[in-house]
Amino acid sequence: MNDIEHQHQSLPNTDIYQYGEPLQAQQLTPMTELVLTHIDDNYPKLQLYVAGVVYSLIATIICLFIGFITPLSITAKLLLIVFILIVAVLIIRLTYLKALTVCYGVFKDELIMRQGLFWMSTTALPYTRLQHVNLSQGPLERQYQLVTLKCFSAGSGEAEINLPGLNADTAEHLRQHLLYQAAENQSSEHKVITASLDS
């Protein structure tokens, strides 16, 4: 027997999972049945306000350009202006509706965030990968007492979860809870690794 075969036989069997039996498909919780919490009611209002100001300003500038500069007939100008106003109202409405879909769930082993109007996005961040939690607050958010929670995972330079629209008190409690859970999970994981190495 050569050295390579001897080393291979002495290695532990890494195919065996040491943390319990895997769950069957019928035991898994469907994503549609997750109990999630919606963010603060002021967040959709803030998004509606910001989108209303921004897109109304853009639509006004475009309409003025069409009305005074473009060499079109009066009818064509009116139709184009009406179309632009309808598009602006539609975008503002969709921005508000999308803000209503933002929700999150704090579970035993992970934080989950879901958002999206037509394309739903669900992000799960296990506490074992959670490295840092940050709270940020812009000037408009400050007026509504809102905070954005940013969760950074291991090996990631950008926040893996950006959870906007949290009440300031709720966000601080959530930050402390997530940091505690991350420390607990990483500590227990370290103990398991140490025990397996000792054995």
Side-chain angles (χ1 to χ4, degrees):
M1 180 183 299
N2 59 35
D3 292 340
I4 295 177
E5 290 177 350
H6 178 72
Q7 289 176 1
H8 180 72
Q9 287 183 351
S10 64
L11 291 174
N13 187 355
T14 55
D15 295 334
I16 300 174
Y17 186 64
Q18 302 292 334
Y19 303 101
E21 293 293 324
L23 294 176
Q24 301 299 319
Q26 59 270 21
Q27 295 176 289
L28 302 176
T29 303
M31 296 297 282
T32 54
E33 294 181 12
L34 291 175
V35 180
L36 301 178
T37 304
H38 284 275
I39 40 96
D40 194 278
D41 292 338
N42 284 326
Y43 178 70
K45 296 175 185 177
L46 175 61
Q47 292 299 300
L48 180 63
Y49 170 74
V50 172
V53 170
V54 171
Y55 290 108
S56 296
L57 183 60
I58 293 173
T60 301
I61 293 171
I62 294 174
C63 289
L64 289 174
F65 177 80
I66 292 171
F68 293 104
I69 297 177
T70 54
L72 298 174
S73 65
I74 299 295
T75 304
K77 288 182 179 181
L78 287 176
L79 289 175
L80 199 53
I81 289 172
V82 169
F83 173 76
I84 289 168
L85 292 177
I86 291 174
V87 169
V89 170
L90 184 61
I91 292 174
I92 293 168
R93 177 68 176 168
L94 290 177
T95 302
Y96 174 73
L97 293 176
K98 183 180 178 182
L100 289 174
T101 67
V102 180
C103 52
Y104 66 98
V106 183
F107 297 96
K108 179 182 176 183
D109 298 312
E110 62 190 0
L111 172 69
I112 291 180
M113 175 185 172
R114 177 182 292 165
Q115 65 177 341
L117 196 56
F118 301 110
W119 291 272
M120 296 295 295
S121 170
T122 303
T123 305
L125 180 60
Y127 299 139
T128 52
R129 286 185 51 81
L130 184 61
Q131 290 281 14
H132 179 61
V133 182
N134 182 31
L135 299 179
S136 66
Q137 187 181 51
L140 291 176
E141 288 177 312
R142 199 172 299 117
Q143 294 296 321
Y144 286 86
Q145 295 297 311
L146 298 176
V147 172
T148 298
L149 181 83
K150 297 182 179 182
C151 297
F152 297 84
S153 65
S156 174
E158 296 182 356
E160 190 159 328
I161 286 184
N162 274 301
L163 181 58
L166 293 174
N167 176 273
D169 293 334
T170 302
E172 179 56 31
H173 284 106
L174 183 55
R175 185 186 74 85
Q176 294 178 11
H177 174 76
L178 292 175
L179 290 175
Y180 174 79
Q181 289 295 330
E184 285 290 306
N185 278 271
Q186 289 167 6
S187 174
S188 61
E189 187 179 62
H190 177 71
K191 290 177 183 176
V192 169
I193 293 173
T194 303
S196 64
L197 289 176
D198 291 342
S199 62

